[in-house]
């Protein structure tokens, strides 16, 4: 059974833990790690982001394109270590913790119905950027989690998210953190 730390508004553990099911049944605040694989395309004068297409049997947003990799932070784990684990498990990308750059945090809070069941989500998401080269042919997709992956233009994806394009479930807050980070680091 997956257990999560209950956290305060800043994502600091309170000392309490809950199961994954209880967190989503009751909307209890917990932590997630979101990792963005990015690449710069000088010939296109833009930035591309790797998006994963969620497996059809996922408990939330099945079949939609999402953050490169994301997942819950297990009770007692640190965000960066969870980010390393998620990249390896979902996409087969192996990185050292120091290769992931911390970009910031954002809140996820929504109520939806998936597969006929209410899903209450309240997260503090820790955002990391992986900017080393990643070839699609080298990815090892975790079939239970990821149906496909592809490179997408960052600004086109941003516009699609703003339009609420149903092809995407990319969290707007995550893209805002990523865009702000990338704007700050540009030469």
């Amino acid at each position: 059974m997956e257990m999560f730390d209950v956290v305060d508004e800043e994502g600091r553990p309170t000392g309490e833990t809950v199961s994954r099911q209880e967190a989503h049944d009751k909307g209890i605040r917990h932590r997630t790690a979101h990792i963005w694989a990015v690449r710069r395309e000088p010939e296109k004068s833009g930035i591309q982001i790797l998006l994963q297409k969620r497996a059809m049997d996922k408990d939330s947003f099945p079949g939609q394109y999402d953050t490169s990799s994301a997942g819950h932070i297990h009770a007692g784990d640190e965000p960066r270590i969870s980010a390393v684990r998620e990249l390896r498990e979902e996409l087969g990308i192996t990185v050292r913790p120091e290769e992931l750059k911390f970009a910031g945090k954002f809140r996820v809070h929504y109520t939806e119905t998936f597969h006929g069941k209410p899903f209450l989500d309240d997260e503090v998401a820790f955002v990391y950027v992986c900017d080393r080269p990643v070839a699609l042919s080298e990815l090892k997709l975790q079939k239970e989690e990821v149906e496909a992956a592809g490179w997408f233009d960052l600004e086109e994806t941003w516009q699609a998210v703003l339009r609420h394009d149903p092809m995407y479930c990319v969290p707007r807050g995550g893209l805002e953190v990523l865009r702000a980070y990338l704007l700050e680091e540009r030469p």
Side-chain angles (χ1 to χ4, degrees), residues 6-165:
V6 175
V7 298
D8 66 14
E9 291 282 333
E10 294 299 315
R12 293 180 295 254
T14 64
E16 296 177 73
T17 59
V18 294
S19 70
R20 175 189 179 106
Q21 181 171 343
E22 185 177 9
H24 291 142
D25 285 349
K26 297 179 180 177
I28 298 171
R29 191 180 314 113
H30 55 285
R31 299 179 297 172
T32 56
H34 291 233
I35 310 92
W36 291 98
V38 301
R39 70 180 183 184
R40 286 158 180 78
E41 292 290 309
E43 65 276 2
K44 296 178 184 176
S45 68
I47 296 174
Q48 291 189 318
I49 54 177
L50 182 69
L51 297 181
Q52 64 163 270
K53 185 174 185 182
R54 296 170 62 83
M56 288 306 294
D57 60 351
K58 291 291 292 174
D59 60 359
S60 61
F61 303 105
Q64 292 178 303
Y65 281 96
D66 199 356
T67 309
S68 305
S69 181
H72 290 95
I73 298 172
H74 298 148
D77 285 354
E78 291 301 319
R80 188 180 306 264
I81 299 305
S82 290
V84 168
R85 182 191 72 238
E86 289 297 329
L87 267 178
R88 186 182 65 251
E89 288 177 358
E90 291 183 355
L91 301 174
I93 299 171
T94 302
V95 296
R96 294 183 315 275
E98 60 272 12
E99 289 181 90
L100 297 180
K101 296 165 184 85
F102 180 68
K105 295 184 275 188
F106 73 99
R107 291 293 307 276
V108 175
H109 191 80
Y110 65 86
T111 301
E112 292 281 345
T113 301
F114 299 107
H115 306 293
K117 184 178 177 206
F119 188 93
L120 311 174
D121 205 11
D122 190 357
E123 305 173 2
V124 176
F126 291 72
V127 179
Y128 295 92
V129 176
C130 176
D131 61 1
R132 67 171 215 191
V134 175
L136 293 178
S137 62
E138 296 173 8
L139 298 178
K140 295 179 183 99
L141 306 180
Q142 182 182 20
K143 294 300 179 194
E144 305 81 28
E145 300 281 334
V146 183
E147 185 175 308
W151 288 102
F152 292 75
D153 180 81
L154 172 61
E155 290 308 312
E156 289 175 12
T157 303
W158 172 246
Q159 292 303 316
V161 167
L162 292 179
R163 287 190 315 270
H164 304 287
D165 185 324

